[in-house]
PDB file of all heavy atoms in Angstrom:
ATOM      1  N   LYS A 200       3.080  -2.467  23.518  1.00 95.00           N
ATOM      2  CA  LYS A 200       2.873  -3.200  24.766  1.00 95.00           C
ATOM      3  C   LYS A 200       2.213  -4.555  24.509  1.00 95.00           C
ATOM      4  O   LYS A 200       2.508  -5.543  25.195  1.00 95.00           O
ATOM      5  CB  LYS A 200       2.004  -2.374  25.713  1.00 95.00           C
ATOM      6  CG  LYS A 200       2.662  -1.090  26.218  1.00 95.00           C
ATOM      7  CD  LYS A 200       1.718  -0.321  27.133  1.00 95.00           C
ATOM      8  CE  LYS A 200       2.336   0.973  27.613  1.00 95.00           C
ATOM      9  NZ  LYS A 200       1.399   1.765  28.469  1.00 95.00           N
ATOM     10  N   ASP A 201       1.308  -4.579  23.539  1.00 96.00           N
ATOM     11  CA  ASP A 201       0.553  -5.798  23.247  1.00 96.00           C
ATOM     12  C   ASP A 201       0.463  -5.999  21.735  1.00 96.00           C
ATOM     13  O   ASP A 201      -0.470  -5.524  21.095  1.00 96.00           O
ATOM     14  CB  ASP A 201      -0.846  -5.719  23.857  1.00 96.00           C
ATOM     15  CG  ASP A 201      -1.667  -6.974  23.575  1.00 96.00           C
ATOM     16  OD1 ASP A 201      -1.085  -7.985  23.134  1.00 96.00           O
ATOM     17  OD2 ASP A 201      -2.899  -6.931  23.796  1.00 96.00           O
ATOM     18  N   PRO A 202       1.432  -6.708  21.136  1.00 95.00           N
ATOM     19  CA  PRO A 202       1.418  -6.920  19.674  1.00 95.00           C
ATOM     20  C   PRO A 202       0.175  -7.659  19.177  1.00 95.00           C
ATOM     21  O   PRO A 202      -0.125  -7.620  17.990  1.00 95.00           O
ATOM     22  CB  PRO A 202       2.685  -7.753  19.436  1.00 95.00           C
ATOM     23  CG  PRO A 202       3.572  -7.474  20.610  1.00 95.00           C
ATOM     24  CD  PRO A 202       2.634  -7.281  21.762  1.00 95.00           C
ATOM     25  N   GLN A 203      -0.561  -8.324  20.090  1.00 97.00           N
ATOM     26  CA  GLN A 203      -1.754  -9.072  19.705  1.00 97.00           C
ATOM     27  C   GLN A 203      -3.017  -8.206  19.729  1.00 97.00           C
ATOM     28  O   GLN A 203      -4.130  -8.731  19.613  1.00 97.00           O
ATOM     29  CB  GLN A 203      -1.946 -10.265  20.657  1.00 97.00           C
ATOM     30  CG  GLN A 203      -0.816 -11.255  20.677  1.00 97.00           C
ATOM     31  CD  GLN A 203      -0.701 -12.022  19.375  1.00 97.00           C
ATOM     32  OE1 GLN A 203      -1.711 -12.394  18.768  1.00 97.00           O
ATOM     33  NE2 GLN A 203       0.515 -12.290  18.929  1.00 97.00           N
ATOM     34  N   PHE A 204      -2.853  -6.897  19.828  1.00 96.00           N
ATOM     35  CA  PHE A 204      -3.966  -5.964  19.984  1.00 96.00           C
ATOM     36  C   PHE A 204      -5.111  -6.239  19.016  1.00 96.00           C
ATOM     37  O   PHE A 204      -6.287  -6.319  19.410  1.00 96.00           O
ATOM     38  CB  PHE A 204      -3.451  -4.527  19.802  1.00 96.00           C
ATOM     39  CG  PHE A 204      -4.500  -3.460  19.844  1.00 96.00           C
ATOM     40  CD1 PHE A 204      -4.971  -2.986  21.057  1.00 96.00           C
ATOM     41  CD2 PHE A 204      -5.028  -2.921  18.674  1.00 96.00           C
ATOM     42  CE1 PHE A 204      -5.942  -1.996  21.105  1.00 96.00           C
ATOM     43  CE2 PHE A 204      -6.001  -1.931  18.703  1.00 96.00           C
ATOM     44  CZ  PHE A 204      -6.460  -1.466  19.920  1.00 96.00           C
ATOM     45  N   TRP A 205      -4.800  -6.402  17.718  1.00 97.00           N
ATOM     46  CA  TRP A 205      -5.848  -6.561  16.715  1.00 97.00           C
ATOM     47  C   TRP A 205      -6.418  -7.971  16.664  1.00 97.00           C
ATOM     48  O   TRP A 205      -7.444  -8.215  16.004  1.00 97.00           O
ATOM     49  CB  TRP A 205      -5.338  -6.171  15.331  1.00 97.00           C
ATOM     50  CG  TRP A 205      -5.123  -4.706  15.182  1.00 97.00           C
ATOM     51  CD1 TRP A 205      -3.935  -4.038  15.075  1.00 97.00           C
ATOM     52  CD2 TRP A 205      -6.147  -3.697  15.147  1.00 97.00           C
ATOM     53  NE1 TRP A 205      -4.150  -2.685  14.985  1.00 97.00           N
ATOM     54  CE2 TRP A 205      -5.496  -2.436  15.016  1.00 97.00           C
ATOM     55  CE3 TRP A 205      -7.544  -3.723  15.206  1.00 97.00           C
ATOM     56  CZ2 TRP A 205      -6.197  -1.233  14.950  1.00 97.00           C
ATOM     57  CZ3 TRP A 205      -8.239  -2.535  15.143  1.00 97.00           C
ATOM     58  CH2 TRP A 205      -7.573  -1.301  15.013  1.00 97.00           C
ATOM     59  N   ALA A 206      -5.828  -8.914  17.378  1.00 98.00           N
ATOM     60  CA  ALA A 206      -6.327 -10.286  17.381  1.00 98.00           C
ATOM     61  C   ALA A 206      -7.327 -10.536  18.510  1.00 98.00           C
ATOM     62  O   ALA A 206      -8.036 -11.550  18.491  1.00 98.00           O
ATOM     63  CB  ALA A 206      -5.162 -11.269  17.500  1.00 98.00           C
ATOM     64  N   HIS A 207      -7.398  -9.640  19.476  1.00 97.00           N
ATOM     65  CA  HIS A 207      -8.290  -9.844  20.617  1.00 97.00           C
ATOM     66  C   HIS A 207      -9.757  -9.725  20.196  1.00 97.00           C
ATOM     67  O   HIS A 207     -10.128  -8.888  19.376  1.00 97.00           O
ATOM     68  CB  HIS A 207      -8.002  -8.823  21.715  1.00 97.00           C
ATOM     69  CG  HIS A 207      -6.637  -8.971  22.333  1.00 97.00           C
ATOM     70  ND1 HIS A 207      -6.130 -10.189  22.731  1.00 97.00           N
ATOM     71  CD2 HIS A 207      -5.677  -8.050  22.616  1.00 97.00           C
ATOM     72  CE1 HIS A 207      -4.916 -10.016  23.234  1.00 97.00           C
ATOM     73  NE2 HIS A 207      -4.619  -8.725  23.162  1.00 97.00           N
ATOM     74  N   ARG A 208     -10.587 -10.549  20.799  1.00 97.00           N
ATOM     75  CA  ARG A 208     -12.024 -10.476  20.632  1.00 97.00           C
ATOM     76  C   ARG A 208     -12.657 -10.691  22.014  1.00 97.00           C
ATOM     77  O   ARG A 208     -12.108 -11.444  22.821  1.00 97.00           O
ATOM     78  CB  ARG A 208     -12.542 -11.532  19.641  1.00 97.00           C
ATOM     79  CG  ARG A 208     -12.030 -11.356  18.223  1.00 97.00           C
ATOM     80  CD  ARG A 208     -12.547 -10.053  17.586  1.00 97.00           C
ATOM     81  NE  ARG A 208     -12.064  -9.870  16.219  1.00 97.00           N
ATOM     82  CZ  ARG A 208     -10.923  -9.273  15.895  1.00 97.00           C
ATOM     83  NH1 ARG A 208     -10.120  -8.796  16.837  1.00 97.00           N
ATOM     84  NH2 ARG A 208     -10.563  -9.139  14.633  1.00 97.00           N
ATOM     85  N   PRO A 209     -13.756 -10.044  22.349  1.00 97.00           N
ATOM     86  CA  PRO A 209     -14.596  -9.217  21.473  1.00 97.00           C
ATOM     87  C   PRO A 209     -13.950  -7.865  21.184  1.00 97.00           C
ATOM     88  O   PRO A 209     -12.982  -7.463  21.831  1.00 97.00           O
ATOM     89  CB  PRO A 209     -15.879  -9.044  22.295  1.00 97.00           C
ATOM     90  CG  PRO A 209     -15.422  -9.130  23.708  1.00 97.00           C
ATOM     91  CD  PRO A 209     -14.320 -10.160  23.717  1.00 97.00           C
ATOM     92  N   TRP A 210     -14.517  -7.171  20.207  1.00 97.00           N
ATOM     93  CA  TRP A 210     -14.035  -5.860  19.826  1.00 97.00           C
ATOM     94  C   TRP A 210     -14.257  -4.860  20.956  1.00 97.00           C
ATOM     95  O   TRP A 210     -15.301  -4.869  21.603  1.00 97.00           O
ATOM     96  CB  TRP A 210     -14.802  -5.361  18.600  1.00 97.00           C
ATOM     97  CG  TRP A 210     -14.454  -6.030  17.316  1.00 97.00           C
ATOM     98  CD1 TRP A 210     -14.801  -7.289  16.926  1.00 97.00           C
ATOM     99  CD2 TRP A 210     -13.721  -5.456  16.229  1.00 97.00           C
ATOM    100  NE1 TRP A 210     -14.320  -7.551  15.661  1.00 97.00           N
ATOM    101  CE2 TRP A 210     -13.668  -6.427  15.211  1.00 97.00           C
ATOM    102  CE3 TRP A 210     -13.124  -4.215  16.017  1.00 97.00           C
ATOM    103  CZ2 TRP A 210     -13.024  -6.215  13.999  1.00 97.00           C
ATOM    104  CZ3 TRP A 210     -12.488  -3.977  14.805  1.00 97.00           C
ATOM    105  CH2 TRP A 210     -12.440  -4.967  13.817  1.00 97.00           C
ATOM    106  N   THR A 211     -13.262  -3.998  21.168  1.00 95.00           N
ATOM    107  CA  THR A 211     -13.454  -2.881  22.098  1.00 95.00           C
ATOM    108  C   THR A 211     -13.949  -1.675  21.293  1.00 95.00           C
ATOM    109  O   THR A 211     -13.842  -1.631  20.066  1.00 95.00           O
ATOM    110  CB  THR A 211     -12.153  -2.519  22.812  1.00 95.00           C
ATOM    111  OG1 THR A 211     -11.211  -2.022  21.834  1.00 95.00           O
ATOM    112  CG2 THR A 211     -11.567  -3.727  23.528  1.00 95.00           C
ATOM    113  N   VAL A 212     -14.473  -0.695  22.005  1.00 95.00           N
ATOM    114  CA  VAL A 212     -14.928   0.532  21.354  1.00 95.00           C
ATOM    115  C   VAL A 212     -13.774   1.202  20.636  1.00 95.00           C
ATOM    116  O   VAL A 212     -13.917   1.703  19.507  1.00 95.00           O
ATOM    117  CB  VAL A 212     -15.551   1.495  22.391  1.00 95.00           C
ATOM    118  CG1 VAL A 212     -15.865   2.848  21.753  1.00 95.00           C
ATOM    119  CG2 VAL A 212     -16.807   0.893  22.992  1.00 95.00           C
ATOM    120  N   MET A 213     -12.593   1.191  21.258  1.00 94.00           N
ATOM    121  CA  MET A 213     -11.423   1.834  20.662  1.00 94.00           C
ATOM    122  C   MET A 213     -10.994   1.113  19.386  1.00 94.00           C
ATOM    123  O   MET A 213     -10.673   1.747  18.372  1.00 94.00           O
ATOM    124  CB  MET A 213     -10.268   1.857  21.645  1.00 94.00           C
ATOM    125  CG  MET A 213      -9.036   2.563  21.126  1.00 94.00           C
ATOM    126  SD  MET A 213      -7.659   2.463  22.273  1.00 94.00           S
ATOM    127  CE  MET A 213      -6.741   3.933  21.828  1.00 94.00           C
TER     128      MET A 213
END
Side-chain angles (χ1 to χ4, degrees):
K200 294 179 182 178
D201 180 13
Q203 300 292 321
F204 176 81
W205 289 110
H207 295 313
R208 296 295 180 272
W210 287 74
T211 65
V212 173
M213 183 184 206

